[in-house]
Amino acid sequence: HTLVYKTAGNSFTFLSPKLLSYTPEAIAQIVFHEVVHQNLYKLGKPIPHNYVEALCDVIANMACVKFAEKTKMIDIHAAEKQRDIFERSYAFLNKERTMLDTMQQRNKPELYKTCTNTISVLTADANQFQKDRLNYEVNNAYFLRIADYALNYFRIKKMVALKFDINDMI
């Protein structure tokens, strides 16, 4: 399976029309996500990629909501909705991946189709950034791509909630 994944930004990206077309909440999430990448890079401590992306997303989602609360520069409800759509999508995909890993090959195409349809429903009211990250035809390559964000997201979220001062991040 293949997946051609397109992104409007990464840690070294310049501002682009695509990036600037996103909602303020999406831009804030992307900025916080990429700032975490930069801070981890500066620390020089290697962390496995599948944990780095999840950590960046956890902190970005938390920071985005906290930023909205503290500054009123972005809409708090939109920031919470953005976080919730990511989390519902990640929870769904993690559950489906567990089933995928144990099912027979002949049954996988139906699961891929169900996942594609469900992700479309979960992101129907999402912002364009979320659609750009999540809305692809689901196949094995899709699961490999999204695993970096989703697989360890909830485990890291619990750890971060216990030991992390979000005010330091902001």
Side-chain angles (χ1 to χ4, degrees), residues 18 38 48 72 74 167:
K18 178 68 173 173
Q38 288 295 318
K72 312 292 188 242
I74 60 174
N167 291 316

Side-chain angles (χ1 to χ4, degrees), residues 28-168:
Q29 200 275 356
I30 292 166
V31 168
F32 283 121
H33 180 104
E34 299 307 331
V35 163
V36 176
H37 276 296
Q38 288 295 318
N39 285 331
L40 291 172
Y41 177 75
K42 287 177 185 174
L43 288 173
K45 297 184 181 190
I47 299 172
H49 186 70
N50 61 329
Y51 286 95
V52 169
E53 291 299 340
L55 176 63
C56 291
D57 254 18
V58 166
I59 293 173
N61 285 328
M62 292 172 65
C64 197
V65 171
K66 200 58 118 168
F67 179 75
E69 289 173 355
K70 286 184 170 256
T71 70
K72 312 292 188 242
M73 292 175 69
I74 60 174
D75 183 86
I76 182 127
H77 300 294
E80 290 170 336
K81 178 180 167 188
Q82 178 175 257
R83 176 202 59 210
D84 294 347
I85 288 171
F86 275 131
E87 290 185 355
R88 281 194 305 271
S89 298
Y90 293 168
F92 168 74
L93 290 165
N94 287 342
K95 180 179 71 73
E96 297 302 303
R97 182 183 175 128
T98 300
M99 291 186 348
L100 179 69
D101 289 344
T102 60
M103 73 177 22
Q104 294 180 357
Q105 188 65 35
R106 70 174 192 263
N107 297 328
K108 291 181 180 185
E110 188 60 36
L111 182 125
Y112 295 141
K113 187 176 180 181
T114 298
C115 289
T116 299
N117 293 337
T118 302
I119 288 298
S120 181
V121 169
L122 288 171
T123 60
D125 199 25
N127 62 45
Q128 191 59 48
F129 162 59
Q130 292 177 296
K131 290 178 180 184
D132 289 348
R133 182 186 282 181
L134 297 168
N135 282 355
Y136 293 87
E137 182 181 342
V138 176
N139 58 26
N140 201 43
Y142 179 96
F143 275 107
L144 289 172
R145 171 68 181 129
I146 209 69
D148 289 342
Y149 298 98
L151 215 56
N152 295 301
Y153 181 92
F154 297 100
R155 181 179 313 139
I156 289 173
K157 183 179 177 183
K158 285 180 187 175
M159 291 169 39
V160 167
L162 294 173
K163 302 177 183 177
F164 183 75
D165 182 1
I166 194 72
N167 291 316
D168 289 343

